Amino acid sequence: MAGGFGGGDAIAGRAEQYEGKITGYFILACIVGSFGGSLFGYDLGVSSGVTAMDDFLIKFFPDVYERKRAHLHETDYCKYDNQVLTLFTSSLYFAGLVSTFAASYVTKRRGRRASIMVGAVSFFLGGAVNAAAANIAMLIVGRVLLGVGIGFGNQAVPLYLSEIAPYKIRGAVNQLFQLTTCLGILVADVINYFTDKIHPWGWRLSLGLAMGPATAIFVGALFLPETPNSLVERGELEEARRVLEKVRGTRKVDAEFEDLKEASEAARAVRGTFRNLLAVRNRPQLIIGALGIPAFQQLSGMNSILFYSPVIFQSLGFGNSAALYSSIITGSMLVVGALVSMLVVDRLGRRFLFIEAGIQMITSMVVVAVILALKFGHGEELSKGVGTVLVVAICLFVVAYGWSWGPLGWLVPSELFPLEMRSAGQSVVVCVNLFWTAAVAQCFLAAMCHLRWGVFILFAALIVVMSIFVVLLLPETKQVPIEEIWMLFDKHWYWKRIVSKDPKYQGHQHHMAAVAAAGVKPEV
């Protein structure tokens, strides 16, 4: 089927002819491919713990350490308000958003697997430099290399998983990326808990262990099959069919293979893929997939909690070990949320999870803000009861994010783009995502210092906006073949008025009307 409006007349009913089963080869490809998410997750978890470790602060940020010591057992929103310290976190994401455009070229010209391997190599080098860091400059260089690795991995892995999966379980398969991201966070939290007790170099071990998953992903990628979509896109038709037959476990792949070829032909007819994102017929994909969802995923406030959960808990009166232990709890909740989402996303749908989680996240943020407004900011130590309520509210927020904006923030954009702009579209997704990740990381500690409990009200208000955005503009994409997603906008109450203004769309509509008037059934 065609990736854009032209050529869509050949798709009617063809998806029902797809055949195949879940094969061992497919499972292996999914497991190895999805582990690209562990790079992103490990860094999220490990950087949040390291920035709260005394030995790390003494070596690189002594002023922050002295401020922390002065308020170790009492509330102080401003303990960690240091822009160089936040640059340690956010520099990775600035590097990632730049590198994703290079990743787009590699992903399109060399394949999804090549981008995953480049990302693994860069992440390995970044982990090595950070582990050996003797000054802040080395820390930042290491973070930049890690960012390049994440830029490539986040660009390629969601595409890889969406393209290799059978359409009926595409949602669950794509969410393996989020699951391994969450597992990476949890593993990093556990490692931080133990390395915090190793003085004075435990932080080096936490940062250096990033080389482990990077090595595993690179070696595993050597045995990965390329996606049939990518092979067809690059003109390797025989190899594409061979891989498709092997992944689906049957030689009866004619219908799916024809759809891939038609999508590829439409893609080759398009020039200037990044510019084509601005075409009227692609306006829904641009607004929803490339700009809206990746920005909102970060503006939910979740990554602020992931980056700084030990810092937040210490700022609110928890001791070192208690803060790291609390971050392990929140990391576990994220894994639980990811597992729940995998089980229900292809049954309940994307919209349901977005909306339900939005309500739960708003409620949790309001509860956190009320507790902070009433109990914190007066230099008093937390009571156990108040601390418990705070942790429970944050966990409810995290688990809701874990089954909604976390995994769906990668799944939905990877579904929306037609083949001719899928790589370019995913690059914009990653760029927008990492821009807002970096911006939130850079601003959060200062915002917490100045807005105090109001920063959580701000996040609650943003989640209200996000939820309205989903309700009004996002069509349901569950169990729709990836090359047919564009047809949903033709029927959407709002988007159909936008896409109908495109000349190619109008030509397609006239053709279909002529076919219907002649009583000719569209070819399938």
Side-chain angles (χ1 to χ4, degrees):
M1 76 214 70
F5 288 116
D9 52 311
I11 67 172
R14 184 178 285 167
E16 298 301 321
Q17 301 174 33
Y18 288 10
E19 296 191 32
K21 58 186 178 181
I22 304 300
T23 63
Y25 191 64
F26 165 73
I27 293 172
L28 176 64
C30 288
I31 292 173
V32 176
S34 66
F35 261 81
S38 67
L39 300 181
F40 191 30
Y42 186 84
D43 180 79
L44 281 172
V46 81
S47 59
S48 69
V50 164
T51 52
M53 291 183 183
D54 288 347
D55 293 324
F56 178 80
L57 294 175
I58 289 170
K59 183 169 181 62
F60 298 107
F61 305 97
D63 292 344
V64 177
Y65 174 71
E66 290 302 323
R67 192 187 311 148
K68 172 184 170 182
R69 279 187 60 194
H71 300 276
L72 181 60
H73 297 297
E74 61 187 55
T75 301
D76 181 3
Y77 287 98
C78 300
K79 281 181 186 177
Y80 292 87
D81 182 19
N82 181 291
Q83 289 300 295
V84 179
L85 177 61
T86 53
L87 183 62
F88 167 74
T89 298
S90 60
S91 58
L92 177 146
Y93 304 102
F94 286 122
L97 69 88
V98 173
S99 68
T100 188
F101 291 103
S104 174
Y105 176 84
V106 175
T107 302
K108 185 175 180 65
R109 302 296 181 186
R110 303 297 178 186
R112 286 50 166 157
R113 189 176 70 132
S115 275
I116 294 173
M117 295 174 73
V118 171
V121 170
S122 185
F123 201 86
F124 179 93
L125 295 174
V129 172
N130 267 354
N135 51 52
I136 292 177
M138 285 187 70
L139 279 180
I140 300 302
V141 169
R143 296 291 289 175
V144 168
L145 288 169
L146 290 169
V148 172
I150 285 178
F152 273 80
N154 285 14
Q155 208 275 348
V157 171
L159 287 186
Y160 184 91
L161 294 173
S162 286
E163 289 182 346
I164 206 165
Y167 74 91
K168 290 186 177 180
I169 59 169
R170 185 179 63 248
V173 170
N174 183 277
Q175 289 189 1
L176 287 170
F177 176 75
Q178 178 69 10
L179 178 61
T180 56
T181 299
C182 297
L183 289 173
I185 293 169
L186 181 58
V187 168
D189 287 338
V190 173
I191 287 173
N192 285 337
Y193 181 79
F194 289 103
T195 57
D196 185 49
K197 306 177 189 301
I198 304 174
H199 304 288
W201 52 271
W203 62 271
R204 293 189 185 275
L205 182 59
S206 287
L207 294 174
L209 285 174
M211 295 184 289
T215 301
I217 290 165
F218 181 84
V219 173
L222 294 174
F223 303 96
L224 275 181
E226 185 54 84
T227 68
N229 310 61
S230 178
L231 291 167
V232 169
E233 186 179 23
R234 289 180 283 140
E236 302 177 30
L237 298 181
E238 291 185 8
E239 177 66 9
R241 184 174 182 108
R242 186 191 69 80
V243 171
L244 186 61
E245 290 177 355
K246 192 170 184 180
V247 170
R248 298 290 183 257
T250 178
R251 298 182 64 86
K252 298 178 180 179
V253 296
D254 291 343
E256 186 171 2
F257 190 61
E258 286 302 312
D259 282 350
L260 294 180
K261 289 196 297 183
E262 288 182 19
S264 180
E265 289 169 4
R268 279 194 287 270
V270 174
R271 296 292 180 266
T273 52
F274 279 102
R275 186 173 63 251
N276 199 46
L277 283 171
L278 301 176
V280 173
R281 66 185 178 280
N282 297 319
R283 194 65 47 79
Q285 292 92 325
L286 175 67
I287 299 299
I288 300 174
L291 300 178
I293 288 178
F296 286 140
Q297 187 190 47
Q298 303 312 315
L299 292 172
S300 68
M302 181 61 227
N303 273 2
S304 298
I305 292 174
L306 290 180
F307 294 150
Y308 301 119
S309 56
V311 170
I312 291 171
F313 288 123
Q314 284 187 16
S315 296
L316 301 178
F318 290 66
N320 264 16
S321 295
L324 290 171
Y325 185 69
S326 297
S327 69
I328 292 174
I329 294 175
T330 57
S332 300
M333 290 297 98
L334 205 55
V335 173
V336 170
L339 289 171
V340 170
S341 190
M342 288 181 66
L343 291 174
V344 303
V345 67
D346 288 315
R347 286 183 289 171
L348 298 180
R350 285 64 159 153
R351 282 169 53 88
F352 174 85
L353 291 177
F354 272 132
I355 295 166
E356 184 282 329
I359 296 170
Q360 186 169 324
M361 292 164 70
I362 293 164
T363 304
S364 299
M365 283 291 97
V366 171
V367 169
V368 170
V370 170
I371 292 175
L372 294 180
L374 295 177
K375 297 294 184 180
F376 297 146
H378 310 295
E380 301 174 359
E381 189 174 350
L382 285 174
S383 69
K384 287 187 177 179
V386 171
T388 300
V389 173
L390 179 68
V391 171
V392 169
I394 290 177
C395 285
L396 288 173
F397 176 89
V398 170
V399 77
Y401 177 91
W403 64 54
S404 62
W405 284 94
L408 301 183
W410 295 106
L411 167 61
V412 174
S414 74
E415 295 177 321
L416 294 183
F417 297 103
L419 181 62
E420 66 263 23
M421 65 183 64
R422 194 167 295 153
S423 179
Q426 186 67 12
S427 285
V428 177
V429 170
V430 175
C431 180
V432 171
N433 183 288
L434 293 181
F435 171 81
W436 287 105
T437 303
V440 171
Q442 190 67 29
C443 297
F444 176 72
L445 291 181
M448 190 168 73
C449 179
H450 292 91
L451 295 178
R452 301 163 71 83
W453 55 269
V455 71
F456 297 97
I457 292 294
L458 174 61
F459 285 136
L462 288 170
I463 297 168
V464 171
V465 174
M466 293 156 47
S467 300
I468 293 172
F469 177 87
V470 167
V471 169
L472 295 180
L473 298 181
L474 179 67
E476 181 54 65
T477 59
K478 69 174 181 178
Q479 297 192 6
V480 179
I482 194 168
E483 304 300 347
E484 295 183 16
I485 295 290
W486 64 268
M487 299 176 67
L488 298 176
F489 301 113
D490 177 24
K491 303 174 183 177
H492 189 269
W493 73 273
Y494 175 75
W495 292 120
K496 66 182 180 181
R497 292 182 289 178
I498 304 297
V499 299
S500 63
K501 297 177 182 178
D502 188 275
K504 291 187 178 181
Y505 174 87
Q506 292 173 351
H508 167 69
Q509 291 294 90
H510 292 155
H511 170 72
M512 290 300 291
V515 169
V520 179
K521 184 179 180 181
E523 181 183 337
V524 296

